Amino acid sequence: MHVDGDDIDWTESDHGETAFRRKQLAAAADGEDIGCSLYELPPGKRSWPYHYHEGNEEAIYVLAGTGTVRLDDGEHALSAGDYVALPAGEAGGHRVVNDGDDPLRYLAISTMRDPDVVVYPDMDKVGVYTGTPPGRHEGRKLTKYYPEDADVDYWPDEAAE
């Protein structure tokens, strides 16, 4: 399906240092297996907290502006024309930062596998999503966040039975 990006509304997220505008392009075009969103980060702002997906691969393509991307191997400069591949798993950890003077615009592309587990190492948190992968909310059956070290035994304690 064809959509005109100018006809898609921006959604805004503002949580202190994490602030951006987003157009969910693939969702607007009824995409199913590949997600694509246009992001715009104002100067001095950051994207989603540093994280990686266990079930989905992502990529970033920079359209305009400059910034930095934090990856599992350190920070890297970003500018128009840069492409960053983010594999599933810890090696795909990332966070985009606009440390430039102009808005930073980029496409974020991802596989849309369901379910997905997202790990937030700096927050010691794990997110679990079922029904739809991250980035979609319609039809979501489960969205839960847990401390990364939360653990229970598989079998209930016999004394509790």
mmCIF file of all heavy atoms in Angstrom, residues 2 18 23-24 34-36 41-42 44 53 60 62 70 78 90 98 106 112 128 136 138 140 145 156 158:
data_model
loop_
_atom_site.group_PDB
_atom_site.id
_atom_site.type_symbol
_atom_site.label_atom_id
_atom_site.label_comp_id
_atom_site.label_asym_id
_atom_site.label_seq_id
_atom_site.Cartn_x
_atom_site.Cartn_y
_atom_site.Cartn_z
ATOM 1 N N HIS A 2 0.483 2.243 -0.701
ATOM 2 C CA HIS A 2 1.200 3.514 -0.802
ATOM 3 C C HIS A 2 0.601 4.508 0.181
ATOM 4 O O HIS A 2 -0.617 4.623 0.300
ATOM 5 C CB HIS A 2 1.067 4.066 -2.229
ATOM 6 C CG HIS A 2 1.586 5.469 -2.361
ATOM 7 N ND1 HIS A 2 0.791 6.577 -2.199
ATOM 8 C CD2 HIS A 2 2.823 5.936 -2.621
ATOM 9 C CE1 HIS A 2 1.514 7.662 -2.372
ATOM 10 N NE2 HIS A 2 2.757 7.300 -2.624
ATOM 11 N N THR A 18 14.830 11.981 27.061
ATOM 12 C CA THR A 18 14.286 11.180 25.963
ATOM 13 C C THR A 18 13.093 11.922 25.379
ATOM 14 O O THR A 18 12.042 11.996 26.012
ATOM 15 C CB THR A 18 13.853 9.785 26.456
ATOM 16 O OG1 THR A 18 14.982 9.101 26.990
ATOM 17 C CG2 THR A 18 13.251 8.972 25.325
ATOM 18 N N LYS A 23 6.849 9.145 13.120
ATOM 19 C CA LYS A 23 5.790 8.781 12.171
ATOM 20 C C LYS A 23 5.941 7.292 11.886
ATOM 21 O O LYS A 23 6.993 6.865 11.395
ATOM 22 C CB LYS A 23 5.921 9.562 10.858
ATOM 23 C CG LYS A 23 5.560 11.015 10.957
ATOM 24 C CD LYS A 23 5.538 11.655 9.578
ATOM 25 C CE LYS A 23 5.169 13.124 9.695
ATOM 26 N NZ LYS A 23 4.718 13.665 8.420
ATOM 27 N N GLN A 24 4.923 6.514 12.174
ATOM 28 C CA GLN A 24 4.971 5.080 11.956
ATOM 29 C C GLN A 24 4.560 4.782 10.507
ATOM 30 O O GLN A 24 3.409 4.523 10.204
ATOM 31 C CB GLN A 24 4.099 4.358 12.964
ATOM 32 C CG GLN A 24 4.678 4.477 14.371
ATOM 33 C CD GLN A 24 3.879 3.730 15.399
ATOM 34 O OE1 GLN A 24 2.906 4.268 15.907
ATOM 35 N NE2 GLN A 24 4.291 2.512 15.686
ATOM 36 N N ILE A 34 7.862 -6.010 8.178
ATOM 37 C CA ILE A 34 8.932 -5.019 8.282
ATOM 38 C C ILE A 34 8.339 -3.732 8.833
ATOM 39 O O ILE A 34 7.362 -3.212 8.298
ATOM 40 C CB ILE A 34 9.595 -4.744 6.916
ATOM 41 C CG1 ILE A 34 10.227 -6.018 6.373
ATOM 42 C CG2 ILE A 34 10.642 -3.636 7.053
ATOM 43 C CD1 ILE A 34 10.772 -5.887 4.978
ATOM 44 N N GLY A 35 8.934 -3.232 9.907
ATOM 45 C CA GLY A 35 8.510 -1.964 10.480
ATOM 46 C C GLY A 35 9.425 -0.853 10.006
ATOM 47 O O GLY A 35 10.601 -1.083 9.726
ATOM 48 N N CYS A 36 8.896 0.343 9.906
ATOM 49 C CA CYS A 36 9.699 1.502 9.526
ATOM 50 C C CYS A 36 9.053 2.749 10.120
ATOM 51 O O CYS A 36 7.861 2.980 9.919
ATOM 52 C CB CYS A 36 9.786 1.635 8.011
ATOM 53 S SG CYS A 36 10.816 3.028 7.476
ATOM 54 N N LEU A 41 14.717 13.799 16.336
ATOM 55 C CA LEU A 41 15.201 14.153 17.676
ATOM 56 C C LEU A 41 15.622 15.605 17.673
ATOM 57 O O LEU A 41 16.454 16.012 16.853
ATOM 58 C CB LEU A 41 16.419 13.314 18.055
ATOM 59 C CG LEU A 41 16.216 11.991 18.767
ATOM 60 C CD1 LEU A 41 15.500 10.997 17.886
ATOM 61 C CD2 LEU A 41 17.542 11.442 19.210
ATOM 62 N N PRO A 42 15.082 16.409 18.598
ATOM 63 C CA PRO A 42 15.541 17.792 18.724
ATOM 64 C C PRO A 42 16.980 17.825 19.255
ATOM 65 O O PRO A 42 17.436 16.863 19.878
ATOM 66 C CB PRO A 42 14.586 18.409 19.755
ATOM 67 C CG PRO A 42 13.443 17.466 19.867
ATOM 68 C CD PRO A 42 13.970 16.122 19.503
ATOM 69 N N GLY A 44 20.029 18.040 21.573
ATOM 70 C CA GLY A 44 20.184 17.764 22.992
ATOM 71 C C GLY A 44 19.335 16.620 23.519
ATOM 72 O O GLY A 44 19.402 16.296 24.704
ATOM 73 N N HIS A 53 16.948 -5.917 21.300
ATOM 74 C CA HIS A 53 15.838 -6.852 21.119
ATOM 75 C C HIS A 53 16.393 -8.261 20.981
ATOM 76 O O HIS A 53 17.326 -8.487 20.212
ATOM 77 C CB HIS A 53 15.055 -6.514 19.844
ATOM 78 C CG HIS A 53 14.397 -5.173 19.887
ATOM 79 N ND1 HIS A 53 13.069 -5.021 20.168
ATOM 80 C CD2 HIS A 53 14.891 -3.928 19.692
ATOM 81 C CE1 HIS A 53 12.757 -3.737 20.142
ATOM 82 N NE2 HIS A 53 13.854 -3.047 19.854
ATOM 83 N N ILE A 60 19.184 1.582 11.286
ATOM 84 C CA ILE A 60 18.966 3.026 11.289
ATOM 85 C C ILE A 60 19.604 3.598 10.030
ATOM 86 O O ILE A 60 20.733 3.253 9.701
ATOM 87 C CB ILE A 60 19.607 3.668 12.535
ATOM 88 C CG1 ILE A 60 18.919 3.184 13.801
ATOM 89 C CG2 ILE A 60 19.569 5.191 12.448
ATOM 90 C CD1 ILE A 60 19.673 3.535 15.068
ATOM 91 N N VAL A 62 20.283 7.457 8.522
ATOM 92 C CA VAL A 62 20.219 8.877 8.859
ATOM 93 C C VAL A 62 19.895 9.697 7.610
ATOM 94 O O VAL A 62 20.583 9.597 6.589
ATOM 95 C CB VAL A 62 21.541 9.361 9.497
ATOM 96 C CG1 VAL A 62 21.456 10.848 9.835
ATOM 97 C CG2 VAL A 62 21.876 8.540 10.736
ATOM 98 N N ARG A 70 25.121 5.170 20.378
ATOM 99 C CA ARG A 70 25.828 4.299 21.310
ATOM 100 C C ARG A 70 25.518 2.866 20.904
ATOM 101 O O ARG A 70 24.354 2.469 20.828
ATOM 102 C CB ARG A 70 25.365 4.555 22.736
ATOM 103 C CG ARG A 70 25.984 3.591 23.736
ATOM 104 C CD ARG A 70 25.460 3.824 25.131
ATOM 105 N NE ARG A 70 25.791 2.715 25.976
ATOM 106 C CZ ARG A 70 25.199 2.465 27.129
ATOM 107 N NH1 ARG A 70 24.239 3.272 27.572
ATOM 108 N NH2 ARG A 70 25.549 1.425 27.846
ATOM 109 N N LEU A 78 27.198 10.066 13.850
ATOM 110 C CA LEU A 78 26.176 9.866 12.825
ATOM 111 C C LEU A 78 26.025 11.132 11.995
ATOM 112 O O LEU A 78 26.061 12.238 12.537
ATOM 113 C CB LEU A 78 24.811 9.575 13.463
ATOM 114 C CG LEU A 78 24.593 8.250 14.155
ATOM 115 C CD1 LEU A 78 23.212 8.237 14.825
ATOM 116 C CD2 LEU A 78 24.710 7.099 13.168
ATOM 117 N N GLU A 90 22.446 -8.974 22.218
ATOM 118 C CA GLU A 90 23.246 -7.955 22.890
ATOM 119 C C GLU A 90 24.110 -7.138 21.934
ATOM 120 O O GLU A 90 24.324 -5.942 22.143
ATOM 121 C CB GLU A 90 24.130 -8.628 23.945
ATOM 122 C CG GLU A 90 24.773 -7.684 24.897
ATOM 123 C CD GLU A 90 25.456 -8.385 26.059
ATOM 124 O OE1 GLU A 90 25.329 -9.617 26.190
ATOM 125 O OE2 GLU A 90 26.128 -7.687 26.832
ATOM 126 N N ASN A 98 21.074 13.144 19.830
ATOM 127 C CA ASN A 98 21.299 14.312 18.975
ATOM 128 C C ASN A 98 22.157 15.293 19.757
ATOM 129 O O ASN A 98 21.661 16.068 20.568
ATOM 130 C CB ASN A 98 19.991 14.978 18.562
ATOM 131 C CG ASN A 98 20.240 16.149 17.633
ATOM 132 O OD1 ASN A 98 21.373 16.579 17.445
ATOM 133 N ND2 ASN A 98 19.185 16.684 17.057
ATOM 134 N N TYR A 106 15.976 10.366 11.139
ATOM 135 C CA TYR A 106 16.437 9.058 10.666
ATOM 136 C C TYR A 106 15.271 8.091 10.544
ATOM 137 O O TYR A 106 14.224 8.264 11.175
ATOM 138 C CB TYR A 106 17.519 8.484 11.593
ATOM 139 C CG TYR A 106 17.088 8.224 13.009
ATOM 140 C CD1 TYR A 106 16.595 6.979 13.394
ATOM 141 C CD2 TYR A 106 17.183 9.214 13.978
ATOM 142 C CE1 TYR A 106 16.208 6.739 14.703
ATOM 143 C CE2 TYR A 106 16.810 8.970 15.284
ATOM 144 C CZ TYR A 106 16.324 7.731 15.634
ATOM 145 O OH TYR A 106 15.940 7.495 16.930
ATOM 146 N N MET A 112 9.531 -7.555 12.357
ATOM 147 C CA MET A 112 8.375 -7.418 13.251
ATOM 148 C C MET A 112 7.972 -8.792 13.801
ATOM 149 O O MET A 112 6.831 -9.213 13.691
ATOM 150 C CB MET A 112 7.218 -6.759 12.506
ATOM 151 C CG MET A 112 7.500 -5.339 12.061
ATOM 152 S SD MET A 112 7.696 -4.184 13.420
ATOM 153 C CE MET A 112 6.002 -3.922 13.864
ATOM 154 N N VAL A 128 8.713 -7.584 27.977
ATOM 155 C CA VAL A 128 8.172 -8.740 27.264
ATOM 156 C C VAL A 128 6.929 -8.282 26.517
ATOM 157 O O VAL A 128 6.042 -7.650 27.103
ATOM 158 C CB VAL A 128 7.810 -9.883 28.255
ATOM 159 C CG1 VAL A 128 7.221 -11.064 27.512
ATOM 160 C CG2 VAL A 128 9.026 -10.293 29.067
ATOM 161 N N ARG A 136 4.154 -1.594 17.666
ATOM 162 C CA ARG A 136 2.715 -1.688 17.409
ATOM 163 C C ARG A 136 2.007 -1.885 18.734
ATOM 164 O O ARG A 136 2.533 -2.504 19.646
ATOM 165 C CB ARG A 136 2.415 -2.883 16.506
ATOM 166 C CG ARG A 136 2.966 -2.754 15.120
ATOM 167 C CD ARG A 136 1.840 -2.459 14.133
ATOM 168 N NE ARG A 136 2.376 -2.213 12.827
ATOM 169 C CZ ARG A 136 2.606 -3.159 11.927
ATOM 170 N NH1 ARG A 136 2.352 -4.402 12.197
ATOM 171 N NH2 ARG A 136 3.093 -2.828 10.750
ATOM 172 N N GLU A 138 -1.853 -2.109 18.624
ATOM 173 C CA GLU A 138 -3.134 -2.742 18.335
ATOM 174 C C GLU A 138 -2.970 -4.249 18.438
ATOM 175 O O GLU A 138 -2.059 -4.824 17.859
ATOM 176 C CB GLU A 138 -3.602 -2.377 16.920
ATOM 177 C CG GLU A 138 -3.777 -0.900 16.710
ATOM 178 C CD GLU A 138 -3.812 -0.534 15.226
ATOM 179 O OE1 GLU A 138 -3.860 -1.436 14.378
ATOM 180 O OE2 GLU A 138 -3.783 0.655 14.932
ATOM 181 N N ARG A 140 -2.108 -5.926 21.038
ATOM 182 C CA ARG A 140 -1.126 -6.313 22.044
ATOM 183 C C ARG A 140 -1.823 -7.083 23.151
ATOM 184 O O ARG A 140 -2.824 -6.651 23.701
ATOM 185 C CB ARG A 140 -0.435 -5.067 22.592
ATOM 186 C CG ARG A 140 0.583 -5.257 23.674
ATOM 187 C CD ARG A 140 1.916 -5.831 23.259
ATOM 188 N NE ARG A 140 2.583 -5.259 22.141
ATOM 189 C CZ ARG A 140 3.390 -4.204 22.173
ATOM 190 N NH1 ARG A 140 3.622 -3.576 23.293
ATOM 191 N NH2 ARG A 140 3.981 -3.781 21.079
ATOM 192 N N TYR A 145 7.106 -5.268 32.129
ATOM 193 C CA TYR A 145 8.487 -4.920 32.414
ATOM 194 C C TYR A 145 8.857 -5.514 33.767
ATOM 195 O O TYR A 145 8.067 -5.454 34.714
ATOM 196 C CB TYR A 145 8.682 -3.402 32.429
ATOM 197 C CG TYR A 145 8.405 -2.796 31.077
ATOM 198 C CD1 TYR A 145 7.164 -2.274 30.766
ATOM 199 C CD2 TYR A 145 9.391 -2.766 30.101
ATOM 200 C CE1 TYR A 145 6.901 -1.742 29.519
ATOM 201 C CE2 TYR A 145 9.146 -2.235 28.853
ATOM 202 C CZ TYR A 145 7.895 -1.725 28.572
ATOM 203 O OH TYR A 145 7.644 -1.208 27.327
ATOM 204 N N PRO A 156 6.635 -24.800 41.755
ATOM 205 C CA PRO A 156 6.316 -24.142 43.025
ATOM 206 C C PRO A 156 6.951 -24.901 44.184
ATOM 207 O O PRO A 156 7.149 -26.110 44.119
ATOM 208 C CB PRO A 156 4.796 -24.171 43.093
ATOM 209 C CG PRO A 156 4.334 -25.112 42.047
ATOM 210 C CD PRO A 156 5.457 -25.320 41.074
ATOM 211 N N GLU A 158 7.281 -26.976 47.258
ATOM 212 C CA GLU A 158 6.398 -28.039 47.748
ATOM 213 C C GLU A 158 5.711 -27.625 49.037
ATOM 214 O O GLU A 158 4.587 -28.025 49.307
ATOM 215 C CB GLU A 158 7.181 -29.333 47.924
ATOM 216 C CG GLU A 158 7.565 -29.943 46.605
ATOM 217 C CD GLU A 158 8.329 -31.251 46.778
ATOM 218 O OE1 GLU A 158 8.356 -31.797 47.900
ATOM 219 O OE2 GLU A 158 8.873 -31.717 45.781
#
